[in-house]
Amino acid sequence: MKFENSKYSKLLEYKKIEFPFGTIYTTKHFVVSELNEGIHVDYTIVSELISKFSEYIRKGIKIGYIANRINSYSFEPQLWLDFNNEYDFMIASAIVSYSDFSYLNSSLEKHFFQKSLKRCHSLDEAIEWMTNLDEFKKETKLK
C-alpha cells in the first residue's frame, strides 16, 4: 500500500518530495520512502537524499526511516554501515516487504544496520511501530 492511500496520510501532516528515483514523505518524526521499480540504491542516491535533509541533520533533529518497498529494487547493504559511521540522526528504521524475497533481503540488511531495524509486512505495522518508539510516543498520537 502506498503511503498516500493509507489512513496515515489523512491522520499525519506530511510533505511529499519527488525525486527521479522515487518519492519521499516527511512527517514530524519519520520519513517514508517509496522508490521506483528496478533502481539500484547506491551512494549517489543516498547522498542526494542526505543533502535534501542536511538542514535537519545540522539542527540535530532525530527521525525514523520507513522503507515502503512497494516496488522491487536493489540496495547495497554496505550503505547502512557507511551511513551509520557518517550520520547520527536516524533513531530507527523499518522495512516494509511485500514478498518473501524482499523480506529475506531486509533480514540481510538488518545485520548491517547498527540501530533498531524492524522488518514489517505492512505499512500500518511499520508506522504503528515507529510512532510507538519511546522517542516519539510522548508527542505522536494517532486517532
Side-chain angles (χ1 to χ4, degrees), residues 63-126:
I63 62 170
Y65 172 71
I66 298 173
N68 188 24
R69 296 197 173 155
I70 56 174
N71 294 310
S72 178
Y73 58 88
S74 60
F75 183 91
E76 291 179 25
Q78 177 67 34
L79 289 173
W80 283 122
L81 290 175
D82 298 340
F83 185 84
N84 286 328
N85 290 333
E86 289 185 49
Y87 306 102
D88 188 34
F89 68 94
M90 231 187 331
I91 290 172
S93 183
I95 298 174
V96 183
S97 301
Y98 295 93
S99 71
D100 291 340
F101 183 72
S102 177
Y103 192 82
L104 284 172
N105 281 341
S106 64
S107 297
L108 174 66
E109 289 175 48
K110 187 173 176 64
H111 294 290
F112 287 89
F113 191 61
Q114 296 170 349
K115 297 184 180 176
S116 182
L117 189 148
K118 177 149 177 77
R119 294 162 296 164
C120 303
H121 292 288
S122 72
L123 183 59
D124 287 354
E125 179 185 4

Side-chain angles (χ1 to χ4, degrees), residues 37-53:
E37 181 77 28
I39 68 160
H40 177 67
V41 179
D42 57 11
Y43 195 79
T44 303
I45 288 176
V46 172
S47 296
E48 190 172 341
L49 288 169
I50 294 299
S51 68
K52 186 70 176 173
F53 297 102

Side-chain angles (χ1 to χ4, degrees), residues 16-29:
K16 179 179 180 178
I17 305 167
E18 294 189 54
F19 292 90
F21 50 82
T23 304
I24 305 295
Y25 302 92
T26 61
T27 72
K28 182 176 181 180
H29 295 298

